[in-house]
Amino acid sequence: AEAMAERIDFYTTLNLTRSSALQDVKRAYKKLALQKHPDMEKGTDAEFVAIGLAYHVLSNPKLRAQYDASELEFSTTRALLVDSFDMPKALEAFEAFFGTANPFATVTKGVNELFDAAEQDRKPKPSPPIALVLSCTLLDLYNGVKKIVAVPKKRIASSGAVEAYTKTYVITAEPYWIDGTTLVFEKDQDDVTGDVVFTVQVEPHETFSIIGYNLHMVCQMPLFQALTGTVLPIMMPDGRKLNLSVEEVVDPDYVKTVKGEGLPDKQTGERGDLVISFKIQFPKKFESLQKQLLHLALCLPSDLLDPTNQQRQLLQTAMKLPANLADTEKKKVADVIKLTVKRDEIPPPE
């Protein structure tokens, strides 16, 4: 230990003087440790260990003070430290200082990153995504119509220059698209104008509106159909004719739902519904006979509910009479009318 202390001057090893500050010690170690690292062409194990030991002592205020007080005394009292400071200890100090056992890779990486950054700076910056609206009708969605859209773009040519070109997108409409569906087409590698993002916009339909995956429609219905029932012929967007029986009494707030006749939901695999609301068409006025018949229909006496009641049978027969009666049939009807009139003329019993 004494011999080592005699032949090693820690300050000389790091090219420093006793007045050098701690920052000078660190700066000197950084430079020499990289130069004399065993992995470097001019590096040797002995020099690398000596540099590591010098830095270890001079960067520690307590050890440096002991060393400055007396190099010989330091070699005696710190013999174990000096003798045991070998290559593993030197590498440990190196890794602690640089934060890695191989800073050369980090340096190389940093240089490469600088070159890469410079190269990227020379390249044209890609533009933000191109946002476009893809307008579709309901029939387009149901029938899978192909939409062809030409988009002007820019790319880097083989010469390195930026050139304009047109990219054509062929897009097949899907029945599960709804308003706001987005379609993203990523840019080509040499493209500098960004991705193309289409937002689906479903055009208004003359019959149907779309809410979520449901088809909604409003049906104009005369009052008599609302009260007596009817069959609604509905032409669906896919070309089918849906004959929908409406047997219930329809009031202005009534909504009829037909399950599974809406748009398909791609995620669930199920279809939405057809939702029908009604707008009842009321007549402007009624003739006297119409009012009588309406009153009779809406306020039907209980005895007329009996199928054997003659008044009921007579009423049903009158409703079925054809317009072109034979003369004999006309005479029979006239006799019945006379009978009814005569009975009406008989005063009620007192």
Side-chain angles (χ1 to χ4, degrees), residues 119-162:
E119 181 67 19
Q120 289 300 321
D121 288 339
R122 286 194 293 271
K123 290 183 179 180
K125 294 293 187 294
S127 302
I130 301 173
L132 299 173
V133 173
L134 185 66
S135 183
C136 299
T137 66
L138 192 56
L139 296 180
D140 291 340
L141 304 185
Y142 265 82
N143 298 320
V145 172
K146 292 186 183 297
K147 296 284 186 175
I148 301 176
V149 184
V151 180
K153 308 199 76 186
K154 293 181 179 180
R155 64 188 173 194
I156 300 176
S158 57
S159 63
V162 176

Side-chain angles (χ1 to χ4, degrees), residues 71-329:
E71 295 180 11
L72 185 59
E73 182 181 347
F74 180 86
S75 66
T76 303
T77 57
R78 294 292 180 177
L80 182 60
L81 167 65
V82 176
D83 291 342
S84 63
F85 199 92
D86 51 11
M87 177 59 76
K89 291 286 183 64
L91 290 173
E92 184 179 331
F94 185 89
E95 183 172 354
F97 183 90
F98 287 99
T100 175
N102 185 10
F104 308 107
T106 304
V107 171
T108 303
K109 178 182 177 184
V111 173
N112 289 338
E113 288 177 348
L114 288 175
F115 279 107
D116 291 343
E119 181 67 19
Q120 289 300 321
D121 288 339
R122 286 194 293 271
K123 290 183 179 180
K125 294 293 187 294
S127 302
I130 301 173
L132 299 173
V133 173
L134 185 66
S135 183
C136 299
T137 66
L138 192 56
L139 296 180
D140 291 340
L141 304 185
Y142 265 82
N143 298 320
V145 172
K146 292 186 183 297
K147 296 284 186 175
I148 301 176
V149 184
V151 180
K153 308 199 76 186
K154 293 181 179 180
R155 64 188 173 194
I156 300 176
S158 57
S159 63
V162 176
E163 65 177 7
Y165 76 107
T166 299
K167 186 172 181 65
T168 301
Y169 297 88
V170 180
I171 308 169
T172 302
E174 298 288 352
Y176 53 81
W177 288 355
I178 58 176
D179 253 343
T181 297
T182 55
L183 312 170
V184 180
F185 293 85
E186 295 184 354
K187 68 182 184 69
D188 296 332
Q189 188 173 2
D190 58 353
D191 194 301
V192 295
T193 46
D195 300 338
V196 177
V197 181
F198 291 98
T199 301
V200 174
Q201 185 179 78
V202 182
E203 297 176 6
H205 189 272
E206 60 181 359
T207 301
F208 302 101
S209 60
I210 303 174
I211 301 178
Y213 291 95
N214 294 334
L215 290 179
H216 288 250
M217 66 173 292
V218 178
C219 176
Q220 304 278 347
M221 179 174 283
L223 178 61
F224 79 91
Q225 289 184 348
L227 296 175
T228 61
T230 187
V231 175
L232 296 177
I234 302 173
M235 291 302 300
M236 299 300 290
D238 58 1
R240 291 181 298 119
K241 184 178 181 181
L242 181 64
N243 292 314
L244 183 63
S245 176
V246 182
E247 299 177 358
E248 54 271 43
V249 174
V250 177
D251 62 54
D253 296 325
Y254 179 71
V255 175
K256 189 174 185 66
T257 300
V258 184
K259 293 291 184 182
E261 287 293 346
L263 297 173
D265 185 338
K266 187 178 181 180
Q267 292 184 344
T268 64
E270 299 178 351
R271 300 185 75 97
D273 303 326
L274 171 62
V275 182
I276 308 171
S277 56
F278 297 87
K279 186 174 182 180
I280 309 302
Q281 297 173 324
F282 284 79
K284 298 297 182 182
K285 68 175 185 176
F286 288 109
E287 299 294 336
S288 176
L289 177 61
Q290 290 176 307
K291 292 180 181 179
Q292 293 177 16
L293 292 175
L294 276 174
H295 186 273
L296 179 63
L298 298 177
C299 304
L300 192 67
S302 58
D303 54 351
L304 289 183
L305 297 175
D306 181 4
T308 63
N309 182 282
Q310 288 186 332
Q311 284 182 305
R312 171 175 173 156
Q313 293 174 354
L314 185 61
L315 181 61
Q316 290 176 324
T317 301
M319 293 173 60
K320 295 178 182 178
L321 286 176
N324 54 343
L325 292 175
D327 291 340
T328 54
E329 293 173 329

